[in-house]
Amino acid sequence: WGLWGVVNLSLGCVFSGWTGLAYNFWVFKNPLIFPEEYWVGAHGSLFSRFTPSLAPEHFALLLFSPYRGLALFSPILVVGAVSLYHMSRSPKLYEAAVFFASLFTVNLVFYSFWGDWGGGLSYGPRFMVDSTPFLAIPIAGLVEGCRQNWVKPPVFALYAYSVFVQAIGSFTDVFSGYGGWRFYQPFDYNLGLLLRGRLSVWWIDIGVGEPLYVKYVFVLCTIVIVYTLGALSLWGFGFPAFRWLNRPR
C-alpha cells in the first residue's frame, strides 16, 4: 500500500462518493440526508437506526442464523472462507486475501450495527449480497489448486445445495415469509409454494393451462443446467483461477 496507495484509495472514494451526495441534494435538498429517513414507518434520525450494543449478536445472525445466515443460504461460500485462509499463507496471494477479506468484513460489520439486521421482507440475507463475490471468487483457487481428490465431492455437494436453495427463492417468491431467527425460509415457506406450483416467474406462466408437471420439469432442468455448468467450471474446464496473481512481477 504505502502513502500513494492510501491517497489513491481516498481519491477513488471522493470521486465516486460525490454522486450520492449530489443525488441527495437534487432530490431531498440536503446532501447528508439518507433515503431511509423517508421510509414509511421510520422515525428519528438516521443514526438512531444503529444499535451498537446488538452488533455482536447481529454479526453472528447474519452469518449463521437460519433466517438470514449466509452460511445456510449459500454454504458453498464456506469453502471461499477456507480458501481465503490458504491464500493468506501464500506470499504471492497474501495481499489479495487481505483485500477480499477486508471488503467482505466491512459490509458485514456495517450491517451488524444496523437495527433491522434482517433487511426487511426478502428472501435470504439481502444485506450480504454485496459481500458474496469476495468469498465466491477464491473458491476457484482452492478447487483448482487442491491436489487431494477427496476435497472436490463435498465442495460439489455444498455447491448443489446452494444452487437448490437459491432456485427455490428464484422460482417462487422473493417476498418470502417472515419469522424469527430460527425461521428457515427455503423449507418453512418457499418450498411449500414450489410444491403447490405457485411460481412467481412470469416467463414460466406465459403458457396458461399447462400441466403442473411441465413446470416442475422446466424448473428441474434449469437447476441441473446451472449446476452442471458451474461444476464443470470448478472441475477444471473453466476458469484459470488466480494464475494472473502468480505471474512474475
Side-chain angles (χ1 to χ4, degrees):
W1 283 81
L3 178 59
W4 282 114
V6 174
V7 171
N8 290 333
L9 179 62
S10 301
L11 290 176
C13 294
V14 170
F15 287 132
S16 60
W18 75 270
T19 55
L21 299 177
Y23 173 84
N24 287 344
F25 179 77
W26 180 267
V27 176
F28 305 113
K29 309 306 179 183
N30 185 350
L32 301 179
I33 202 70
F34 192 68
E36 182 73 14
E37 298 185 29
Y38 288 90
W39 174 65
V40 177
H43 56 84
S45 64
L46 169 64
F47 295 101
S48 67
R49 307 297 302 277
F50 290 92
T51 54
S53 61
L54 298 177
E57 178 183 349
H58 293 171
F59 187 95
L61 291 172
L62 284 170
L63 290 178
F64 305 112
S65 70
Y67 183 56
R68 286 290 189 262
L70 190 63
L72 276 76
F73 277 84
S74 296
I76 185 61
L77 296 179
V78 176
V79 180
V82 175
S83 181
L84 280 181
Y85 169 74
H86 287 284
M87 288 171 58
S88 67
R89 302 182 62 182
S90 170
K92 295 181 179 180
L93 301 178
Y94 175 79
E95 293 183 357
V98 172
F99 180 68
F100 285 154
S102 300
L103 293 176
F104 176 84
T105 305
V106 165
N107 192 55
L108 173 61
V109 171
F110 177 84
Y111 283 112
S112 296
F113 281 82
W114 191 247
D116 184 17
W117 68 273
L121 192 60
S122 64
Y123 180 83
R126 75 179 185 91
F127 281 160
M128 299 302 297
V129 170
D130 293 339
S131 296
T132 54
F134 309 118
L135 291 184
I137 294 175
I139 296 174
L142 180 65
V143 174
E144 181 177 311
C146 184
R147 299 178 181 178
Q148 299 173 334
N149 292 328
W150 65 267
V151 173
K152 290 186 177 181
V155 170
F156 293 143
L158 292 176
Y159 173 65
Y161 182 79
S162 300
V163 171
F164 176 70
V165 168
Q166 299 305 316
I168 294 176
S170 299
F171 285 113
T172 53
D173 193 353
V174 294
F175 298 105
S176 184
Y178 177 82
W181 68 270
R182 296 184 180 89
F183 186 79
Y184 193 42
Q185 292 173 319
F187 295 156
D188 292 340
Y189 183 80
N190 289 72
L191 183 59
L193 297 178
L194 181 64
L195 295 178
R196 294 193 299 270
R198 295 180 57 185
L199 307 179
S200 62
V201 184
W202 66 269
W203 40 269
I204 293 181
D205 289 329
I206 289 179
V208 180
E210 296 170 339
L212 185 59
Y213 74 87
V214 174
K215 297 182 179 181
Y216 285 148
V217 171
F218 182 84
V219 170
L220 180 62
C221 291
T222 303
I223 295 175
V224 170
I225 291 173
V226 171
Y227 172 78
T228 302
L229 293 176
L232 289 175
S233 298
L234 290 176
W235 197 266
F237 293 94
F239 311 107
F242 293 165
R243 289 175 185 167
W244 63 275
L245 291 173
N246 290 315
R247 69 179 184 271
R249 299 183 178 180

